[in-house]
Amino acid sequence: MDEEESSVYTGKPGLKQAIEKISSLISFSYSIKVFAVKWQTIRPKLEELLSNLNAIENCESSESFSLSSTLEKILTTLKDCGDLARRCVDLSYSGKLLMKSDLDIVSSKLDNHIKRLSEIYSLGLLSHGYAIVVSRPGVSASRDDIRFYVNDLLSRLKIGSVDMKKQALVAFNEAIQEDDRYVKIAVQIDSFINFLVNFLDLQETEVQEEAAKAVSFIAGFQSFRGVLISAGIISPLIRVLECGSDLSKELAAICLKKVTENSDNAWSVCSHGGVSVLLKICSNGDSAAELVSLACGVLKNLVGIEEIKRFMVEEGAILVFVKLVRSKDEITQISSLDFLQAMAYGDESIREVIVKEGGIRALVRVLDPKSSFSSKTREVAFRGIVNLCFSSDDSLNMLINYGFMDHILYFLRYGDISVQELALKAAFWLCGTSEEAKKVMGNAGFMPALVKFLDSKPFKMREMAAETLSSMVIIPRNRKRFVQNDQNVGLLMQMLDPGEVNSGNKKLLLSILMSLTSCNSARKKIMNSGYLRNIEKLAEAEVSDAKTIIRRLSSSKFRNILSGIWHS
């Protein structure tokens, strides 16, 4: 280096000289072919030092004695580093061991310079004027350009004022929203994620919110969640849930919900008091609906751990969520219903607690036609009823006493198509619970409502209606009721036309007729329906159920009438 280059400048000129020398040295380092590992270690430190100096260049008092003294040492180190770089390129070093030692010394000095700059800024020896953030690289930027930009942001997070930190975080959040590469590089840079996590505990609301926004977005990448966990993110997130701003709380809950998808992180949430904090949010009537929903989601992720689930029960979680089912907010209702189902899944003792705390009554109330709940909420409530009441005679009796069947029948008759489909599912499930349920449904008038769906346009609804009827007419009393309506048998016979491809599942329709043929009045109506030929065609096509029906119709006093029509 010539005499001018080696002279030591202080203040603004020295700062500018240091920035230029580091930029030149970083570019020059890529041409070095020897001691590659050492230079791969030194280069990121040069980049970080450059970012710090760039940030300081925007400060008003950048001519302090402390900075000038530090710049003098930095320039000396850069001169030494430049000499070592040239000797590596020229292969003019005297020995490998000595060169390795010299490179280690330079690397250590760079660490000290970076640390000293942070100390100078943190002590308030520099005042910040205008937080100018380096322009973000374009969409076609190289990985090195992006890395330089992220390092520049990191330097501002380290030594910047509150406003500079905020601007850097805003810039980072904008970048990661538009390009995943910024996330990938940020998690690879030492201490970047640690700074984001630490900022969650800052009192400055805007900085905390931007940090929470960043970590919640990064948590969306499953492969990077381990980095967040290693940085100790669980505890700060829970503290944010306790005393952060409304936005910070929601973002913290989003992040917790994502990281707890891995059950390995469940214990960490519990050990830091997270379960109690989340339950408090759900029981607090002042909590925003979105936050309550997110808290429900986190707790739902934790119930897979038996000990944590028991702790929730001891803390009164069941009563809290049964009350939330009665909420007027749809998102809260659905989230609480999902949580209760997760709690009860495969656990009879908790199912009993939910029933005891009024869970079934609350679920049936959602299905009351007089209520204003949405179709989506009612569907979730129905799933909850199925999961809680399946195979339980006591629960079935509760449902009947609470008017569940009346609600289902009302929706079958008068609901819109989405609610009718839900009601059909409910009727299908009820019919399969017990013989007694089939009898009660028959008495309540379900069969006429179900018959109307046999020629419904949605194929799925036709199937459910036919299958439910097939199950109901197994009961003798229901068969008699079904046959009393002359149109019922005629409709079934008409839909069995082999040429009609959109008439539903003929196997189910034949199953209904099979049951009806055990009733004398039904056999007469089948014979007189005018559509007997439809069954004959199916029998001729070797459809076994149709052949069986013909045989039954051909027996006893019907044998002579049908003589010659069909012979087995």
Side-chain angles (χ1 to χ4, degrees):
M1 291 185 183
D2 58 33
E3 196 172 307
E4 183 181 352
E5 286 177 323
S6 62
S7 63
V8 176
Y9 289 83
T10 58
K12 286 285 185 181
L15 181 59
K16 185 175 182 180
Q17 184 184 8
I19 290 172
E20 291 174 351
K21 282 183 175 293
I22 295 175
S23 299
S24 177
L25 189 51
I26 290 171
S27 298
F28 188 69
S29 69
Y30 285 102
S31 63
I32 300 172
K33 305 300 181 184
V34 295
F35 304 105
V37 174
K38 294 292 183 183
W39 283 104
Q40 286 171 7
T41 303
I42 291 172
R43 191 179 301 114
K45 296 178 182 180
L46 289 170
E47 291 172 346
E48 184 173 355
L49 184 60
L50 177 61
S51 295
N52 289 350
L53 293 175
N54 278 326
I56 290 173
E57 192 177 24
N58 293 311
C59 297
E60 291 176 345
S61 302
S62 58
E63 297 187 12
S64 69
F65 173 78
S66 296
L67 178 60
S68 297
S69 176
T70 301
L71 281 174
E72 182 177 345
K73 294 175 183 177
I74 289 173
L75 286 166
T76 300
T77 300
L78 293 175
K79 178 180 181 299
D80 294 340
C81 189
D83 291 340
L84 294 175
R86 288 192 184 89
R87 285 158 57 192
C88 285
V89 170
D90 299 339
L91 302 178
S92 57
Y93 50 88
S94 56
K96 289 184 177 181
L97 290 178
L98 181 58
M99 176 55 75
K100 286 182 179 179
S101 176
D102 290 341
L103 291 172
D104 286 338
I105 292 171
V106 166
S107 180
S108 178
K109 287 181 178 180
L110 291 172
D111 284 331
N112 291 334
H113 298 325
I114 292 168
K115 181 179 179 183
R116 179 56 183 155
L117 288 176
S118 297
E119 291 172 352
I120 291 172
Y121 207 103
S122 62
L123 289 171
L125 300 177
L126 300 172
S127 61
H128 178 258
Y130 301 96
I132 303 172
V133 178
V134 173
S135 297
R136 175 154 43 108
V139 291
S140 60
S142 67
R143 179 180 175 82
D144 288 335
D145 290 337
I146 293 175
R147 184 180 181 87
F148 175 81
Y149 179 73
V150 175
N151 267 314
D152 181 75
L153 295 178
L154 175 60
S155 70
R156 296 165 194 276
L157 297 179
K158 285 182 176 181
I159 66 176
S161 64
V162 171
D163 285 340
M164 184 182 277
K165 286 180 170 64
K166 176 193 167 186
Q167 273 202 335
L169 287 169
V170 169
F172 179 68
N173 281 325
E174 289 175 352
I176 61 178
Q177 293 284 341
E178 296 178 17
D179 193 335
D180 292 350
R181 292 182 296 170
Y182 287 89
V183 179
K184 296 175 183 176
I185 288 174
V187 299
Q188 293 170 359
I189 295 177
D190 289 342
S191 76
F192 196 100
I193 299 300
N194 289 330
F195 270 93
L196 294 180
V197 172
N198 292 337
F199 285 169
L200 294 173
D201 282 322
L202 289 186
Q203 296 300 312
E204 291 78 6
T205 299
E206 292 180 330
V207 174
Q208 184 190 74
E209 288 176 351
E210 291 298 329
K213 188 182 298 183
V215 295
S216 67
F217 185 83
I218 294 171
F221 296 82
Q222 189 171 3
S223 57
F224 298 147
R225 291 172 188 170
V227 179
L228 294 172
I229 297 299
S230 298
I233 198 170
I234 297 294
S235 183
L237 287 175
I238 292 171
R239 287 193 289 272
V240 171
L241 287 176
E242 287 186 284
C243 52
S245 67
D246 290 344
L247 177 58
S248 292
K249 286 179 179 179
E250 286 190 17
L251 292 167
I254 290 171
C255 191
L256 269 180
K257 186 176 179 182
K258 291 174 181 175
V259 298
T260 53
E261 288 176 6
N262 182 343
S263 59
D264 293 341
N265 300 324
W267 277 115
S268 181
V269 174
C270 189
S271 64
H272 287 95
V275 173
S276 298
V277 172
L278 290 162
L279 287 174
K280 185 177 180 180
I281 288 172
C282 294
S283 60
N284 185 353
D286 295 330
S287 297
E290 182 65 29
L291 179 59
V292 171
S293 175
L294 290 167
C296 289
V298 179
L299 290 168
K300 181 182 175 183
N301 288 343
L302 305 182
V303 299
I305 308 297
E306 187 65 24
E307 293 85 348
I308 296 178
K309 182 165 69 171
R310 296 299 164 190
F311 176 72
M312 290 182 191
V313 175
E314 292 170 4
E315 292 288 294
I318 302 301
L319 182 57
V320 168
F321 284 93
V322 169
K323 289 180 178 178
L324 286 178
V325 171
R326 305 187 185 106
S327 167
K328 294 181 180 180
D329 182 81
E330 179 180 6
I331 190 172
T332 301
Q333 294 163 353
I334 292 174
S335 299
S336 55
L337 287 168
D338 280 339
F339 173 79
L340 288 173
Q341 289 181 69
M343 287 285 284
Y345 182 75
D347 194 318
E348 181 62 23
S349 62
I350 289 185
R351 189 196 70 81
E352 291 175 357
V353 174
I354 294 174
V355 172
K356 182 180 178 181
E357 296 289 3
I360 292 180
R361 181 187 290 272
L363 291 170
V364 174
R365 177 176 168 271
V366 174
L367 297 176
D368 188 340
K370 297 177 184 177
S371 66
S372 58
F373 296 103
S374 69
S375 299
K376 185 177 180 181
T377 305
R378 285 181 169 133
E379 185 172 354
V380 177
F382 164 65
R383 286 203 309 267
I385 288 172
V386 171
N387 292 333
L388 288 172
C389 303
F390 183 70
S391 73
S392 171
D393 291 338
D394 290 340
S395 297
L396 182 61
N397 291 332
M398 280 188 187
L399 287 176
I400 294 173
N401 293 335
Y402 293 151
F404 178 66
M405 285 192 177
D406 293 336
H407 298 340
I408 297 304
L409 187 57
Y410 176 89
F411 287 125
L412 283 175
R413 290 170 173 167
Y414 309 113
D416 58 44
I417 190 164
S418 61
V419 177
Q420 284 182 327
E421 184 173 351
L422 170 63
L424 276 172
K425 290 178 181 177
F428 174 75
W429 168 72
L430 277 172
C431 198
T433 56
S434 67
E435 296 295 299
E436 183 61 29
K438 294 181 178 68
K439 294 177 183 177
V440 174
M441 291 173 69
N443 293 338
F446 270 76
M447 287 189 294
L450 291 170
V451 169
K452 294 178 181 178
F453 290 98
L454 292 179
D455 59 352
S456 175
K457 288 184 178 180
F459 179 78
K460 186 177 181 180
M461 295 177 73
R462 293 202 303 267
E463 292 284 278
M464 282 192 290
E467 195 160 354
T468 306
L469 280 171
S470 177
S471 180
M472 288 187 68
V473 294
I474 293 174
I475 305 299
R477 187 190 308 169
N478 289 342
R479 287 198 293 269
K480 292 179 180 178
R481 282 198 176 91
F482 187 87
V483 175
Q484 284 172 359
N485 187 327
D486 293 338
Q487 295 179 348
N488 288 347
V489 174
L491 178 62
L492 287 177
M493 298 291 289
Q494 184 178 355
M495 294 181 68
L496 286 170
D497 183 354
E500 180 59 53
V501 295
N502 295 318
S503 59
N505 191 324
K506 290 183 171 58
K507 184 175 179 61
L508 290 172
L509 299 178
L510 288 169
S511 174
I512 297 172
L513 282 176
M514 288 262 286
S515 296
L516 295 178
T517 54
S518 61
C519 173
N520 286 334
S521 58
R523 290 198 297 269
K524 291 178 182 178
K525 290 190 176 184
I526 291 173
M527 293 291 299
N528 297 326
S529 67
Y531 297 103
L532 183 60
R533 184 57 186 158
N534 288 342
I535 298 181
E536 294 173 4
K537 290 178 180 178
L538 292 172
E540 290 168 358
E542 298 296 322
V543 176
S544 60
D545 286 348
K547 292 171 69 175
T548 302
I549 291 172
I550 290 295
R551 290 192 188 98
R552 290 182 180 180
L553 292 174
S554 301
S555 62
S556 62
K557 61 182 179 180
F558 296 102
R559 188 181 304 277
N560 292 331
I561 300 175
L562 295 173
S563 178
I565 294 180
W566 182 260
H567 298 284
S568 57

